[in-house]
Amino acid sequence: MANSIFSSSFAAVGSKALDSSMSLLNYNRTSKPVHQCSIISRSISSQKKNIMMCASVDGLDSVNSSSIPLEADVPMPIVLIDQDSEPDATIVQLSFRDRLGALIDTALKDLGLDVLKGTVTTENSVIQTKFFITRLATGRKVEDPDLLERIRLTIINNLLKFHPESSERLAMGEAFGIKAPEKKLDVDIATHIHVKDDGPRKSLLYIETADRPGLLLEIIKIMADININVESAEIETEGLVAKDKFHVSYRGAALNSSLSQVLVNCLRYYLRRPETEEDSY
């Protein structure tokens, strides 16, 4: 338990952590967000146009879909948060296009984070920007799952705002973008969960499922409810899909086959049925 990066911070707030994340977004699966609209001017493809910007109460901006033409070849947006690779920093990596590096740098600092260094690599039309971040107050990597989810949603917010064409490739583009994804994922088909040993003291949990706001906190809460500790995580958003890896343990040891099956069953039941009552699994 001493090595768990999430359990102590999550246990301190219990089930309220999930409520906090969802209130942050004011997101409801059965209702549309409230918007405040104003006309602004933006340069697009070297032409000046007036477009309608709709700022939702949760801070994710929506854009009138008739104002901005979508480009035919839109790369897959990928957001990766890596807790494993660096012992003293959290790595945040974005793969898409230009114009987001400095913007995300500023946005992360607004969350009370210190950007230690950054790298940029380019492959064809895709630009990969990587940040090494710590908490400004402590100088340590980010361990709070609520803050990790805020980081992820802040980056997606910037994508939707400054690259509105990405909305058709992101799950949250349906509610907040200029164009909803044409293909919607069947959660039953899209959800895959596996557990395997990764040494005597920890197991590797892999989860692939349809992305949605608050997903990380939902997963962490389910594991906390059955006393499984999360020691590190790699959180990846690849278009419509979340692909997350967690190093987990139970009382300082790897999960046995019975507990692994319990974990898989709990996660599969809840993730495939997000509208299920909280404690019904």
Side-chain angles (χ1 to χ4, degrees):
M1 288 188 179
N3 294 328
S4 174
I5 66 164
F6 289 144
S7 58
S8 59
S9 59
F10 194 85
V13 293
S15 62
K16 293 182 180 179
L18 178 58
D19 297 335
S20 170
S21 173
M22 300 312 284
S23 63
L24 165 69
L25 295 165
N26 289 325
Y27 185 89
N28 189 309
R29 295 185 182 89
T30 60
S31 63
K32 294 182 179 180
V34 180
H35 296 83
Q36 292 179 331
C37 298
S38 60
I39 299 291
I40 68 169
S41 179
R42 175 174 293 170
S43 177
I44 300 167
S45 300
S46 301
Q47 295 180 351
K48 202 82 168 181
K49 296 185 180 181
N50 285 328
I51 64 174
M52 182 73 76
M53 286 292 296
C54 300
S56 68
V57 292
D58 53 33
L60 291 177
D61 294 339
S62 299
V63 184
N64 189 320
S65 60
S66 62
S67 302
I68 303 177
L70 289 175
E71 299 180 32
D73 185 19
V74 179
M76 177 70 73
I78 299 175
V79 179
L80 176 67
I81 300 176
D82 180 3
Q83 290 284 77
D84 279 339
S85 299
E86 289 288 328
D88 301 319
T90 298
I91 297 175
V92 176
Q93 183 173 297
L94 169 66
S95 299
F96 194 63
R97 287 179 173 166
D98 60 351
R99 296 194 299 130
L100 282 177
L103 292 167
I104 292 177
D105 186 351
T106 302
L108 294 176
K109 288 180 178 177
D110 288 343
L111 292 176
L113 301 169
D114 186 20
V115 179
L116 303 179
K117 62 179 179 178
T119 62
V120 178
T121 57
T122 303
E123 183 176 347
N124 298 323
S125 63
V126 176
I127 296 178
Q128 185 182 90
T129 307
K130 182 185 294 186
F131 296 96
F132 295 77
I133 63 174
T134 59
R135 299 199 69 161
L136 194 58
T138 63
R140 303 182 65 180
K141 67 165 58 179
V142 180
E143 299 179 352
D144 179 9
D146 182 68
L147 183 53
L148 288 169
E149 182 69 348
R150 287 169 182 257
I151 292 169
R152 187 177 78 93
L153 296 178
T154 295
I155 295 172
I156 293 175
N157 177 24
N158 275 271
L159 271 172
L160 291 171
K161 185 174 182 179
F162 296 101
H163 279 292
E165 73 276 10
S166 68
S167 67
E168 63 178 321
R169 305 296 298 271
L170 290 164
M172 279 169 274
E174 182 172 5
F176 307 114
I178 64 171
K179 183 179 179 182
E182 293 183 1
K183 295 183 179 179
K184 304 219 173 19
L185 294 178
D186 184 316
V187 180
D188 286 339
I189 297 175
T191 298
H192 305 281
I193 305 168
H194 307 285
V195 180
K196 66 178 184 179
D197 288 341
D198 193 23
R201 296 186 177 275
K202 59 185 178 181
S203 299
L204 179 63
L205 167 66
Y206 175 80
I207 301 173
E208 180 175 323
T209 191
D211 185 35
R212 60 179 181 262
L215 178 63
L216 174 62
L217 291 183
E218 294 173 6
I219 292 171
I220 297 295
K221 182 186 183 304
I222 292 168
M223 289 192 277
D225 284 348
I226 55 177
N227 298 316
I228 290 178
N229 295 321
V230 179
E231 300 183 6
S232 63
E234 182 180 290
I235 304 154
E236 182 175 4
T237 305
E238 185 175 321
L240 304 178
V241 180
K243 299 180 177 181
D244 299 338
K245 297 177 183 177
F246 302 91
H247 280 113
V248 298
S249 64
Y250 178 72
R251 296 182 176 178
L255 278 57
N256 61 32
S257 58
S258 298
L259 188 54
S260 294
Q261 192 60 55
V262 169
L263 174 60
V264 170
N265 290 345
C266 290
L267 288 167
R268 182 178 289 120
Y269 183 83
Y270 189 86
L271 294 176
R272 287 182 172 181
R273 296 286 181 266
E275 72 280 0
T276 303
E277 288 298 323
E278 189 169 302
D279 294 326
S280 62
Y281 59 84

